[in-house]
Amino acid sequence: MIKTETITYQDAQGNDFEGTISWYDTTQQKRPGILVVHTFRGQGEFDNQKAVVLASMGYVGFAIDLYGKGRRASVKEEAQALMDELNSDRPLLLQRMELALDVLKKHALTDTEQLGAIGFCFGGKAVLDLARSGAHLQGVVSFHGVYDAPAMSHPTPIKAAVLVLHGWEDPLATPEQTVALAQELTERKADWQILAFGHTGHAFTNPNANQPGMFYQPATDRRAWQAMKQLFEEKFH
C-alpha cells in the first residue's frame, strides 16, 4: 500500500514549508529518494500525484515546497511574483533545494546514497541548479525547464547525471539557450542528455495547458516519463 504523509519543515530562519512524502509501505527496506519540484504556481496536487507514482515504482517521492507554507498561486500574476522572488535570488533557490534534499535524506526509508530529483517548468530550473551545485545525486530530470545559469561559481564537476526533456517549440527555452546549456554541462563534465521533442512547447506535461507555445502534448508527456524511468533504472542499483 502506498502511504502519503504531509510534512512541515523549517529553514534556518524559521520559515515553514509544506510538502508531501509518499512511499510503498509493504517493506521496510531502504530505497532511492526522489525530489519532485513544482511549477511556478507552487506545490500542489500535480506534484503530489507524481510523488505517488514514484512511490509505486519503488522510490520515496517527496513533493517539495519552494515558496513556503500557504504560499500558492491561484492566478498567473501571483505565480510570477512568487517565482520572481527566487529567480532574483538564485543562492536562496539553491538553499531551499538543499533543505528539501536534507529532509528527504532524513526519511526512515530513504537510501541516502541513492538520490534523484525531477522538476517541471520552474522546478526544472531548480533541479538543474541543484545539479550545478555539485550535490551528490545520481540523476536529475528537467521537464520543460528553464536553462539560464545562475551567477554562482561551482568549480567542481557536476556529479549527477542530467536528463533534459525539452519541447523544441518552447518559447521559454530557445534553441540558442538549449545549446548554451549543452555547452555548460559539457564544460562541467556532466553525464548529460538533452531529448528534444518536435511539435512540442512548454508545459507539455500539463493537461490544462492550452495556449500558443504552452500546451499539453500527451505523446511527449508519455515518452518523456519513460525516458526518466530509464535513467533512474540505470543509475539506481
Side-chain angles (χ1 to χ4, degrees):
M1 180 179 177
I2 294 173
K3 297 191 70 172
T4 295
E5 176 186 356
T6 299
I7 182 169
T8 300
Y9 57 102
Q10 288 188 329
D11 64 11
Q13 290 73 43
N15 299 305
D16 287 335
F17 299 84
E18 186 175 81
T20 67
I21 290 184
S22 297
W23 68 95
Y24 200 64
D25 73 343
T26 56
T27 173
Q28 293 304 301
Q29 183 176 355
K30 290 185 180 293
R31 74 285 311 258
I34 300 177
L35 301 177
V36 180
V37 192
H38 55 76
T39 73
F40 76 147
R41 292 187 179 273
Q43 199 267 10
E45 190 58 24
F46 176 89
D47 316 290
N48 296 340
Q49 287 304 310
K50 294 298 184 187
V52 168
V53 174
L54 290 169
S56 73
M57 295 162 54
Y59 305 132
V60 178
F62 181 24
I64 76 166
D65 173 16
L66 289 175
Y67 293 157
K69 185 176 181 178
R71 304 189 77 211
R72 307 291 188 267
S74 57
V75 297
K76 182 179 178 181
E77 291 75 17
E78 291 175 347
Q80 187 70 46
L82 289 169
M83 181 176 67
D84 285 347
E85 291 178 10
L86 296 178
N87 270 335
S88 64
D89 192 344
R90 298 286 280 276
L92 179 59
L93 172 59
L94 177 58
Q95 287 174 21
R96 292 186 178 176
M97 288 295 295
E98 292 172 334
L99 171 65
L101 185 61
D102 285 342
V103 173
L104 175 61
K105 290 165 70 174
K106 290 175 183 176
H107 190 275
L109 295 179
T110 300
D111 180 347
T112 59
E113 295 301 314
Q114 301 282 296
L115 299 168
I118 68 174
F120 301 82
C121 180
F122 177 61
K125 171 186 281 193
V127 300
L128 289 172
D129 275 10
L130 186 60
R132 287 172 169 126
S133 74
H136 184 71
L137 301 163
Q138 275 56 57
V140 303
V141 182
S142 168
F143 291 83
H144 46 81
V146 183
Y147 305 149
D148 57 304
M152 294 185 284
S153 176
H154 299 295
T156 59
I158 290 174
K159 298 183 179 72
V162 177
L163 173 60
V164 176
L165 300 164
H166 172 69
W168 192 248
E169 298 174 17
D170 189 336
L172 303 184
T174 65
E176 293 78 14
Q177 291 169 325
T178 307
V179 171
L181 175 63
Q183 292 171 335
E184 177 195 355
L185 294 173
T186 299
E187 290 169 2
R188 295 289 306 281
K189 297 180 172 56
D191 171 7
W192 67 267
Q193 304 173 68
I194 296 178
L195 183 54
F197 300 93
H199 315 292
T200 300
H202 194 70
F204 61 77
T205 64
N206 182 359
N208 298 317
N210 184 23
Q211 57 181 295
M214 303 184 185
F215 50 91
Y216 181 51
Q217 174 50 276
T220 298
D221 185 17
R222 182 180 65 253
R223 293 167 182 171
W225 190 260
Q226 185 63 35
M228 179 214 73
K229 289 172 64 177
Q230 290 174 346
L231 176 74
F232 288 138
E233 286 169 1
E234 174 188 332
K235 294 299 177 180
F236 294 143
H237 304 295

